[in-house]
Amino acid sequence: MVIDENILHSAGAEIKHYSPSEYLFSQGDIPHYYYQIIKGEVKLNNYNEDGKEFIQNILSDGQSCGEAILFIDKPYPMNAEAMTECSVLRLHKSSFFNLLNESPQICMEVSSFLSQRLYYKFVMMQNISSQDPSTRLKGLMDYLKSFQDDESPYSYMIPLTRQQMASLTGLCVETAIRTIKNMEKDKIVKIENRKVLY
DNA sequence: TCATTAAAGTTAT
DNA sequence: ATAACTTTAATGA
């Protein structure tokens, strides 16, 4: 949880609902709001010239999205698209800045969240540049698994479709599928009824 | 080697 | 039923 929901409410945040494939905001929009997800999953993505999707990040309960861009005077460089039914708290930029001014603690929490996102970006950028497909996928899996306590092999079920894994690593689905199969051969992952265990 | 295209099987809505 | 996802195979950069 980035900011306590009650605090957001009393600061004037409104609850918005989104259905799958609805946009919270789109690339090129001017940022006006702070968004924090109460429930559901949202992806930040881009589409390249031929319409291929690249997922920058997948966010869920308690996380905020697009907050980084509020601090500068630029349009959004990505879309925020709901992947599931979502309840989202939306707080106007000015009220958000008031909150930050009033509370050093909230300021720290937002900074901490920004720092986490930045860390993820660095880790993923390393993976995605140059490396071979299995390294990219392994990098993604390592990152996802790092949030769970159980470190034993095959204890983590990747909560993503192959499509999503491909979009997160910049691979095409077919390559992701073939690579995952090879990783199973190499005992890096296990596949049980189409789910990837790492 | 990986991306792309096409085609077909499978799962979820 | 229809759309979304998974898989295999052929071809080309």
Side-chain angles (χ1 to χ4, degrees):
Chain A
M1 174 92 48
V2 185
I3 302 179
D4 185 89
E5 287 172 16
N6 295 320
I7 293 176
L8 284 170
H9 270 121
S10 41
E14 40 184 351
I15 296 184
K16 305 274 288 179
H17 293 281
Y18 299 91
S19 297
S21 86
E22 281 189 324
Y23 286 90
L24 283 68
F25 55 77
S26 304
Q27 187 164 1
D29 287 354
I30 304 296
H32 289 301
Y33 297 96
Y34 169 82
Y35 296 88
Q36 184 169 311
I37 302 164
I38 300 171
K39 187 118 196 59
E41 291 190 316
V42 174
K43 64 182 173 186
L44 301 182
N45 66 5
N46 293 108
Y47 293 95
N48 72 8
E49 314 76 43
D50 3 286
K52 184 181 170 187
E53 179 186 28
F54 190 92
I55 301 180
Q56 299 291 345
N57 214 333
I58 293 178
L59 302 163
S60 59
D61 303 14
Q63 303 188 293
S64 73
C65 56
E67 72 295 324
I69 320 298
L70 284 175
F71 293 92
I72 55 171
D73 191 23
K74 296 269 186 200
Y76 285 115
M78 74 302 204
N79 311 293
E81 185 180 344
M83 295 167 63
T84 63
E85 289 293 333
C86 288
S87 307
V88 177
L89 278 167
R90 195 178 79 167
L91 182 65
H92 196 267
K93 190 175 169 174
S94 54
S95 313
F96 174 67
F97 284 134
N98 286 339
L99 265 187
L100 294 186
N101 278 320
E102 287 161 15
S103 166
Q105 194 197 333
I106 292 176
C107 217
M108 280 304 287
E109 282 163 359
V110 171
S111 304
S112 158
F113 184 72
L114 281 171
S115 193
Q116 273 179 262
R117 297 332 320 165
L118 195 58
Y119 176 79
Y120 167 82
K121 271 292 136 208
F122 267 95
V123 171
M124 286 308 290
M125 231 186 280
Q126 291 248 310
N127 292 330
I128 284 161
S129 54
S130 83
Q131 302 290 356
D132 70 298
S134 68
T135 309
R136 291 201 209 181
L137 287 164
K138 190 170 173 303
L140 174 65
M141 293 179 197
D142 277 328
Y143 177 79
L144 292 171
K145 188 171 175 171
S146 70
F147 293 104
Q148 92 161 12
D149 300 327
D150 192 345
E151 289 184 17
S152 56
Y154 317 131
S155 65
Y156 181 66
M157 183 184 284
I158 308 291
L160 300 170
T161 66
R162 282 151 181 71
Q163 201 99 231
Q164 292 170 330
M165 289 189 250
S167 296
L168 279 160
T169 50
L171 300 167
C172 68
V173 208
E174 294 87 342
T175 302
I177 288 166
R178 279 189 281 264
T179 306
I180 291 167
K181 291 235 159 116
N182 284 329
M183 290 167 79
E184 187 187 29
K185 244 181 233 126
D186 298 338
K187 311 278 183 225
I188 298 171
V189 299
K190 252 187 199 170
I191 298 175
E192 266 171 31
N193 50 50
R194 297 185 157 200
K195 292 291 174 199
V196 181
L197 304 182
Y198 178 59

Short mmCIF file of all heavy atoms in Angstrom, two decimals, chain A residues 42-72:
data_model
loop_
_atom_site.label_atom_id
_atom_site.label_comp_id
_atom_site.label_asym_id
_atom_site.label_seq_id
_atom_site.Cartn_x
_atom_site.Cartn_y
_atom_site.Cartn_z
N VAL A 42 -3.51 -3.62 -13.31
CA VAL A 42 -3.36 -2.64 -14.37
C VAL A 42 -1.99 -2.82 -15.00
O VAL A 42 -1.01 -3.06 -14.30
CB VAL A 42 -3.45 -1.21 -13.78
CG1 VAL A 42 -3.15 -0.16 -14.85
CG2 VAL A 42 -4.82 -0.96 -13.17
N LYS A 43 -1.95 -2.72 -16.33
CA LYS A 43 -0.64 -2.80 -16.98
C LYS A 43 -0.28 -1.45 -17.59
O LYS A 43 -1.14 -0.75 -18.11
CB LYS A 43 -0.60 -3.91 -18.02
CG LYS A 43 -1.53 -3.72 -19.19
CD LYS A 43 -1.45 -4.90 -20.16
CE LYS A 43 -2.53 -4.77 -21.23
NZ LYS A 43 -2.59 -5.94 -22.12
N LEU A 44 0.99 -1.13 -17.50
CA LEU A 44 1.52 0.04 -18.18
C LEU A 44 2.17 -0.48 -19.44
O LEU A 44 3.03 -1.37 -19.36
CB LEU A 44 2.56 0.76 -17.30
CG LEU A 44 2.06 1.24 -15.94
CD1 LEU A 44 3.17 1.97 -15.20
CD2 LEU A 44 0.84 2.14 -16.09
N ASN A 45 1.75 0.04 -20.58
CA ASN A 45 2.29 -0.52 -21.82
C ASN A 45 2.48 0.51 -22.92
O ASN A 45 2.05 1.65 -22.81
CB ASN A 45 1.39 -1.66 -22.31
CG ASN A 45 0.02 -1.17 -22.74
OD1 ASN A 45 -0.24 0.03 -22.77
ND2 ASN A 45 -0.85 -2.09 -23.09
N ASN A 46 3.17 0.06 -23.95
CA ASN A 46 3.36 0.84 -25.18
C ASN A 46 3.07 -0.08 -26.35
O ASN A 46 3.19 -1.29 -26.23
CB ASN A 46 4.82 1.28 -25.32
CG ASN A 46 5.20 2.28 -24.25
OD1 ASN A 46 5.95 1.95 -23.35
ND2 ASN A 46 4.70 3.48 -24.36
N TYR A 47 2.73 0.52 -27.47
CA TYR A 47 2.62 -0.27 -28.70
C TYR A 47 3.62 0.30 -29.70
O TYR A 47 3.68 1.51 -29.89
CB TYR A 47 1.20 -0.19 -29.26
CG TYR A 47 0.18 -0.88 -28.37
CD1 TYR A 47 -0.54 -0.15 -27.43
CD2 TYR A 47 -0.02 -2.25 -28.46
CE1 TYR A 47 -1.46 -0.78 -26.60
CE2 TYR A 47 -0.94 -2.89 -27.64
CZ TYR A 47 -1.66 -2.15 -26.71
OH TYR A 47 -2.55 -2.79 -25.89
N ASN A 48 4.38 -0.58 -30.33
CA ASN A 48 5.34 -0.08 -31.32
C ASN A 48 4.65 0.12 -32.67
O ASN A 48 3.45 -0.10 -32.80
CB ASN A 48 6.56 -1.00 -31.42
CG ASN A 48 6.23 -2.32 -32.09
OD1 ASN A 48 5.14 -2.51 -32.62
ND2 ASN A 48 7.17 -3.23 -32.08
N GLU A 49 5.43 0.51 -33.67
CA GLU A 49 4.87 0.88 -34.98
C GLU A 49 3.96 -0.20 -35.57
O GLU A 49 2.91 0.11 -36.12
CB GLU A 49 5.99 1.17 -35.99
CG GLU A 49 7.10 2.06 -35.47
CD GLU A 49 8.05 1.27 -34.54
OE1 GLU A 49 8.40 0.13 -34.89
OE2 GLU A 49 8.41 1.81 -33.48
N ASP A 50 4.37 -1.48 -35.44
CA ASP A 50 3.52 -2.52 -36.03
C ASP A 50 2.52 -3.09 -35.04
O ASP A 50 2.00 -4.19 -35.22
CB ASP A 50 4.34 -3.66 -36.67
CG ASP A 50 5.82 -3.50 -36.49
OD1 ASP A 50 6.37 -2.63 -37.19
OD2 ASP A 50 6.41 -4.24 -35.68
N GLY A 51 2.27 -2.34 -33.98
CA GLY A 51 1.19 -2.74 -33.08
C GLY A 51 1.57 -3.79 -32.06
O GLY A 51 0.73 -4.28 -31.31
N LYS A 52 2.86 -4.13 -31.99
CA LYS A 52 3.28 -5.11 -31.00
C LYS A 52 3.34 -4.44 -29.62
O LYS A 52 3.87 -3.36 -29.47
CB LYS A 52 4.65 -5.68 -31.37
CG LYS A 52 5.11 -6.79 -30.43
CD LYS A 52 6.49 -7.30 -30.82
CE LYS A 52 7.03 -8.23 -29.74
NZ LYS A 52 8.42 -8.62 -30.00
N GLU A 53 2.78 -5.16 -28.66
CA GLU A 53 2.70 -4.58 -27.32
C GLU A 53 3.98 -4.82 -26.52
O GLU A 53 4.53 -5.91 -26.55
CB GLU A 53 1.51 -5.20 -26.57
CG GLU A 53 1.36 -4.66 -25.15
CD GLU A 53 0.26 -5.39 -24.37
OE1 GLU A 53 0.01 -6.58 -24.67
OE2 GLU A 53 -0.33 -4.77 -23.47
N PHE A 54 4.42 -3.80 -25.81
CA PHE A 54 5.47 -4.00 -24.83
C PHE A 54 4.91 -3.59 -23.47
O PHE A 54 4.48 -2.45 -23.31
CB PHE A 54 6.73 -3.20 -25.16
CG PHE A 54 7.89 -3.59 -24.28
CD1 PHE A 54 8.79 -4.59 -24.68
CD2 PHE A 54 8.05 -3.01 -23.03
CE1 PHE A 54 9.82 -4.96 -23.84
CE2 PHE A 54 9.10 -3.40 -22.19
CZ PHE A 54 9.99 -4.37 -22.60
N ILE A 55 4.91 -4.54 -22.52
CA ILE A 55 4.40 -4.22 -21.19
C ILE A 55 5.54 -3.69 -20.33
O ILE A 55 6.55 -4.36 -20.16
CB ILE A 55 3.78 -5.47 -20.52
CG1 ILE A 55 2.62 -6.00 -21.38
CG2 ILE A 55 3.29 -5.13 -19.12
CD1 ILE A 55 1.94 -7.25 -20.81
N GLN A 56 5.38 -2.48 -19.85
CA GLN A 56 6.42 -1.88 -19.01
C GLN A 56 6.37 -2.43 -17.60
O GLN A 56 7.38 -2.56 -16.92
CB GLN A 56 6.24 -0.35 -18.96
CG GLN A 56 6.34 0.33 -20.30
CD GLN A 56 7.75 0.30 -20.86
OE1 GLN A 56 8.71 0.01 -20.16
NE2 GLN A 56 7.87 0.60 -22.14
N ASN A 57 5.13 -2.73 -17.17
CA ASN A 57 4.94 -3.10 -15.78
C ASN A 57 3.52 -3.57 -15.55
O ASN A 57 2.61 -3.15 -16.25
CB ASN A 57 5.18 -1.86 -14.92
CG ASN A 57 5.80 -2.23 -13.61
OD1 ASN A 57 5.60 -3.34 -13.13
ND2 ASN A 57 6.54 -1.31 -13.03
N ILE A 58 3.37 -4.45 -14.57
CA ILE A 58 2.02 -4.86 -14.17
C ILE A 58 1.85 -4.51 -12.70
O ILE A 58 2.67 -4.87 -11.87
CB ILE A 58 1.82 -6.37 -14.39
CG1 ILE A 58 1.84 -6.68 -15.90
CG2 ILE A 58 0.49 -6.82 -13.78
CD1 ILE A 58 1.68 -8.14 -16.24
N LEU A 59 0.79 -3.77 -12.40
CA LEU A 59 0.58 -3.28 -11.04
C LEU A 59 -0.72 -3.84 -10.48
O LEU A 59 -1.67 -4.09 -11.22
CB LEU A 59 0.52 -1.76 -11.04
CG LEU A 59 1.78 -1.10 -11.62
CD1 LEU A 59 1.52 0.34 -11.98
CD2 LEU A 59 2.92 -1.22 -10.62
N SER A 60 -0.75 -4.04 -9.16
CA SER A 60 -1.98 -4.58 -8.56
C SER A 60 -2.29 -3.91 -7.23
O SER A 60 -1.75 -2.84 -6.93
CB SER A 60 -1.86 -6.09 -8.42
OG SER A 60 -0.76 -6.41 -7.61
N ASP A 61 -3.14 -4.55 -6.46
CA ASP A 61 -3.69 -3.97 -5.23
C ASP A 61 -2.68 -3.16 -4.41
O ASP A 61 -1.62 -3.65 -4.09
CB ASP A 61 -4.26 -5.08 -4.32
CG ASP A 61 -5.32 -5.92 -5.03
OD1 ASP A 61 -5.43 -5.82 -6.26
OD2 ASP A 61 -6.03 -6.65 -4.33
N GLY A 62 -3.06 -1.94 -4.08
CA GLY A 62 -2.25 -1.11 -3.20
C GLY A 62 -1.17 -0.31 -3.89
O GLY A 62 -0.56 0.56 -3.28
N GLN A 63 -0.93 -0.60 -5.18
CA GLN A 63 0.12 0.11 -5.88
C GLN A 63 -0.46 1.31 -6.64
O GLN A 63 -1.64 1.37 -6.91
CB GLN A 63 0.84 -0.84 -6.84
CG GLN A 63 1.42 -2.04 -6.11
CD GLN A 63 2.30 -2.88 -7.01
OE1 GLN A 63 1.83 -3.50 -7.95
NE2 GLN A 63 3.58 -2.91 -6.71
N SER A 64 0.40 2.26 -6.92
CA SER A 64 -0.07 3.43 -7.65
C SER A 64 0.49 3.38 -9.06
O SER A 64 1.44 2.66 -9.33
CB SER A 64 0.37 4.71 -6.95
OG SER A 64 1.75 4.91 -7.13
N CYS A 65 -0.12 4.12 -9.97
CA CYS A 65 0.43 4.13 -11.31
C CYS A 65 0.46 5.52 -11.91
O CYS A 65 -0.44 6.32 -11.68
CB CYS A 65 -0.28 3.14 -12.22
SG CYS A 65 -2.04 3.36 -12.32
N GLY A 66 1.50 5.82 -12.60
CA GLY A 66 1.63 7.10 -13.28
C GLY A 66 2.09 8.23 -12.37
O GLY A 66 2.26 9.36 -12.81
N GLU A 67 2.33 7.91 -11.09
CA GLU A 67 2.68 8.96 -10.14
C GLU A 67 3.99 9.66 -10.51
O GLU A 67 4.12 10.86 -10.30
CB GLU A 67 2.76 8.40 -8.72
CG GLU A 67 3.95 7.49 -8.41
CD GLU A 67 3.94 6.19 -9.21
OE1 GLU A 67 2.84 5.66 -9.44
OE2 GLU A 67 5.02 5.75 -9.63
N ALA A 68 4.90 8.90 -11.10
CA ALA A 68 6.21 9.46 -11.42
C ALA A 68 6.10 10.66 -12.37
O ALA A 68 6.87 11.61 -12.27
CB ALA A 68 7.11 8.39 -12.04
N ILE A 69 5.13 10.60 -13.25
CA ILE A 69 5.01 11.63 -14.28
C ILE A 69 4.38 12.92 -13.74
O ILE A 69 4.50 13.98 -14.34
CB ILE A 69 4.17 11.12 -15.48
CG1 ILE A 69 4.50 9.68 -15.81
CG2 ILE A 69 4.38 11.98 -16.72
CD1 ILE A 69 5.93 9.44 -16.22
N LEU A 70 3.72 12.84 -12.59
CA LEU A 70 3.07 14.02 -12.01
C LEU A 70 4.08 15.11 -11.66
O LEU A 70 3.74 16.28 -11.59
CB LEU A 70 2.29 13.64 -10.75
CG LEU A 70 0.96 12.91 -10.94
CD1 LEU A 70 0.39 12.49 -9.60
CD2 LEU A 70 -0.02 13.82 -11.67
N PHE A 71 5.31 14.68 -11.42
CA PHE A 71 6.31 15.63 -10.93
C PHE A 71 6.94 16.46 -12.04
O PHE A 71 7.65 17.41 -11.78
CB PHE A 71 7.40 14.89 -10.15
CG PHE A 71 6.88 14.29 -8.87
CD1 PHE A 71 6.41 12.99 -8.84
CD2 PHE A 71 6.83 15.04 -7.70
CE1 PHE A 71 5.92 12.44 -7.66
CE2 PHE A 71 6.35 14.51 -6.51
CZ PHE A 71 5.89 13.19 -6.49
N ILE A 72 6.70 16.06 -13.26
CA ILE A 72 7.23 16.86 -14.35
C ILE A 72 6.10 17.28 -15.28
O ILE A 72 5.01 16.72 -15.23
CB ILE A 72 8.31 16.10 -15.17
CG1 ILE A 72 7.73 14.77 -15.68
CG2 ILE A 72 9.55 15.86 -14.34
CD1 ILE A 72 8.62 14.06 -16.66
#
